[in-house]
Short mmCIF file of all heavy atoms in Angstrom, two decimals:
data_model
loop_
_atom_site.label_atom_id
_atom_site.label_comp_id
_atom_site.label_asym_id
_atom_site.label_seq_id
_atom_site.Cartn_x
_atom_site.Cartn_y
_atom_site.Cartn_z
N SER A 529 -2.12 4.51 28.06
CA SER A 529 -2.26 3.26 27.31
C SER A 529 -2.79 2.17 28.22
O SER A 529 -2.42 2.08 29.39
CB SER A 529 -0.91 2.80 26.75
OG SER A 529 -0.32 3.80 25.92
N ARG A 530 -3.63 1.35 27.66
CA ARG A 530 -4.07 0.14 28.36
C ARG A 530 -3.04 -0.93 28.01
O ARG A 530 -2.71 -1.13 26.83
CB ARG A 530 -5.45 -0.27 27.86
CG ARG A 530 -6.07 -1.38 28.64
CD ARG A 530 -7.50 -1.59 28.21
NE ARG A 530 -8.01 -2.79 28.81
CZ ARG A 530 -9.11 -3.37 28.46
NH1 ARG A 530 -9.85 -2.86 27.48
NH2 ARG A 530 -9.54 -4.48 29.05
N ILE A 531 -2.50 -1.61 29.02
CA ILE A 531 -1.38 -2.53 28.82
C ILE A 531 -1.67 -3.90 29.43
O ILE A 531 -2.61 -4.06 30.20
CB ILE A 531 -0.07 -1.94 29.42
CG1 ILE A 531 -0.21 -1.71 30.93
CG2 ILE A 531 0.33 -0.66 28.71
CD1 ILE A 531 1.07 -1.31 31.64
N THR A 532 -0.82 -4.85 29.08
CA THR A 532 -0.89 -6.18 29.65
C THR A 532 0.04 -6.24 30.86
O THR A 532 0.87 -5.36 31.06
CB THR A 532 -0.47 -7.27 28.65
OG1 THR A 532 0.89 -7.04 28.27
CG2 THR A 532 -1.35 -7.25 27.43
N GLY A 533 -0.08 -7.28 31.62
CA GLY A 533 0.78 -7.45 32.79
C GLY A 533 0.01 -7.19 34.06
O GLY A 533 -1.22 -7.15 34.09
N SER A 534 0.75 -6.99 35.15
CA SER A 534 0.10 -6.84 36.46
C SER A 534 -0.59 -5.49 36.62
O SER A 534 -1.45 -5.34 37.47
CB SER A 534 1.12 -7.03 37.57
OG SER A 534 2.15 -6.06 37.47
N HIS A 535 -0.21 -4.50 35.81
CA HIS A 535 -0.88 -3.20 35.81
C HIS A 535 -1.74 -3.11 34.54
O HIS A 535 -1.40 -3.69 33.52
CB HIS A 535 0.14 -2.07 35.85
CG HIS A 535 0.85 -1.98 37.16
ND1 HIS A 535 1.92 -2.78 37.48
CD2 HIS A 535 0.65 -1.18 38.23
CE1 HIS A 535 2.35 -2.49 38.70
NE2 HIS A 535 1.59 -1.50 39.18
N ASN A 536 -2.82 -2.35 34.61
CA ASN A 536 -3.74 -2.22 33.47
C ASN A 536 -3.49 -0.97 32.63
O ASN A 536 -3.75 -0.98 31.45
CB ASN A 536 -5.20 -2.12 33.99
CG ASN A 536 -5.56 -3.18 34.95
OD1 ASN A 536 -5.28 -3.04 36.13
ND2 ASN A 536 -6.16 -4.26 34.49
N ILE A 537 -2.99 0.08 33.28
CA ILE A 537 -2.87 1.38 32.63
C ILE A 537 -1.45 1.94 32.84
O ILE A 537 -0.89 1.84 33.93
CB ILE A 537 -3.88 2.40 33.22
CG1 ILE A 537 -5.32 1.86 33.16
CG2 ILE A 537 -3.74 3.76 32.54
CD1 ILE A 537 -5.88 1.70 31.76
N HIS A 538 -0.90 2.54 31.78
CA HIS A 538 0.39 3.22 31.85
C HIS A 538 0.15 4.63 31.33
O HIS A 538 -0.39 4.84 30.25
CB HIS A 538 1.42 2.50 30.96
CG HIS A 538 2.77 3.10 31.02
ND1 HIS A 538 3.19 4.06 30.13
CD2 HIS A 538 3.82 2.87 31.86
CE1 HIS A 538 4.44 4.39 30.40
NE2 HIS A 538 4.84 3.69 31.45
N MET A 539 0.58 5.64 32.11
CA MET A 539 0.33 7.04 31.76
C MET A 539 1.61 7.86 31.88
O MET A 539 2.43 7.61 32.75
CB MET A 539 -0.69 7.67 32.67
CG MET A 539 -2.04 7.00 32.67
SD MET A 539 -3.23 7.84 33.77
CE MET A 539 -2.49 7.57 35.38
N LYS A 540 1.74 8.83 31.01
CA LYS A 540 2.75 9.88 31.17
C LYS A 540 2.00 11.10 31.67
O LYS A 540 1.02 11.54 31.06
CB LYS A 540 3.47 10.19 29.87
CG LYS A 540 4.57 11.24 30.07
CD LYS A 540 5.38 11.47 28.84
CE LYS A 540 6.49 12.47 29.13
NZ LYS A 540 7.28 12.75 27.94
N VAL A 541 2.48 11.66 32.80
CA VAL A 541 1.74 12.72 33.49
C VAL A 541 2.70 13.88 33.75
O VAL A 541 3.87 13.67 34.12
CB VAL A 541 1.17 12.18 34.82
CG1 VAL A 541 0.41 13.24 35.55
CG2 VAL A 541 0.31 10.95 34.57
N VAL A 542 2.22 15.11 33.56
CA VAL A 542 3.00 16.30 33.90
C VAL A 542 2.31 17.03 35.04
O VAL A 542 1.09 17.20 35.04
CB VAL A 542 3.23 17.24 32.68
CG1 VAL A 542 4.07 16.55 31.63
CG2 VAL A 542 1.94 17.72 32.09
N LEU A 543 3.11 17.45 35.99
CA LEU A 543 2.59 18.07 37.22
C LEU A 543 3.44 19.27 37.60
O LEU A 543 4.59 19.37 37.19
CB LEU A 543 2.59 17.04 38.34
CG LEU A 543 1.83 15.75 38.01
CD1 LEU A 543 2.54 14.55 38.55
CD2 LEU A 543 0.42 15.85 38.52
N LYS A 544 2.90 20.14 38.43
CA LYS A 544 3.63 21.33 38.86
C LYS A 544 4.75 20.97 39.82
O LYS A 544 5.87 21.46 39.71
CB LYS A 544 2.68 22.34 39.50
CG LYS A 544 1.70 22.93 38.54
CD LYS A 544 0.75 23.87 39.22
CE LYS A 544 -0.30 24.36 38.24
NZ LYS A 544 -1.30 25.18 38.88
N ASP A 545 4.42 20.13 40.82
CA ASP A 545 5.38 19.83 41.88
C ASP A 545 4.93 18.58 42.63
O ASP A 545 3.95 17.94 42.24
CB ASP A 545 5.52 21.01 42.84
CG ASP A 545 4.18 21.54 43.35
OD1 ASP A 545 3.23 20.73 43.48
OD2 ASP A 545 4.06 22.74 43.61
N GLN A 546 5.60 18.27 43.73
CA GLN A 546 5.29 17.07 44.49
C GLN A 546 3.89 17.15 45.12
O GLN A 546 3.21 16.14 45.23
CB GLN A 546 6.37 16.83 45.55
CG GLN A 546 7.67 16.41 44.92
CD GLN A 546 8.85 16.60 45.83
OE1 GLN A 546 8.89 17.53 46.64
NE2 GLN A 546 9.83 15.72 45.71
N LEU A 547 3.48 18.32 45.56
CA LEU A 547 2.14 18.46 46.12
C LEU A 547 1.09 18.14 45.07
O LEU A 547 0.10 17.44 45.34
CB LEU A 547 1.93 19.87 46.68
CG LEU A 547 0.53 20.16 47.24
CD1 LEU A 547 0.18 19.21 48.39
CD2 LEU A 547 0.43 21.62 47.67
N HIS A 548 1.30 18.65 43.86
CA HIS A 548 0.38 18.36 42.76
C HIS A 548 0.35 16.84 42.48
O HIS A 548 -0.72 16.27 42.27
CB HIS A 548 0.81 19.15 41.51
CG HIS A 548 -0.17 19.13 40.41
ND1 HIS A 548 0.10 19.73 39.20
CD2 HIS A 548 -1.42 18.61 40.28
CE1 HIS A 548 -0.93 19.56 38.39
NE2 HIS A 548 -1.86 18.89 39.02
N LEU A 549 1.51 16.19 42.53
CA LEU A 549 1.58 14.74 42.36
C LEU A 549 0.76 14.04 43.45
O LEU A 549 -0.03 13.13 43.15
CB LEU A 549 3.02 14.26 42.40
CG LEU A 549 3.24 12.73 42.39
CD1 LEU A 549 2.66 12.10 41.16
CD2 LEU A 549 4.73 12.43 42.53
N GLN A 550 0.93 14.46 44.66
CA GLN A 550 0.18 13.85 45.78
C GLN A 550 -1.32 14.00 45.55
O GLN A 550 -2.09 13.04 45.73
CB GLN A 550 0.57 14.53 47.10
CG GLN A 550 -0.15 13.98 48.30
CD GLN A 550 0.27 14.70 49.59
OE1 GLN A 550 1.39 15.17 49.70
NE2 GLN A 550 -0.65 14.77 50.53
#
Side-chain angles (χ1 to χ4, degrees):
S529 302
R530 188 172 171 193
I531 60 173
T532 62
S534 61
H535 291 81
N536 310 83
I537 305 294
H538 182 268
M539 301 181 295
K540 182 174 183 182
V541 181
V542 295
L543 305 141
K544 293 177 184 175
D545 51 31
Q546 290 161 326
L547 177 61
H548 191 184
L549 173 60
Q550 179 181 331

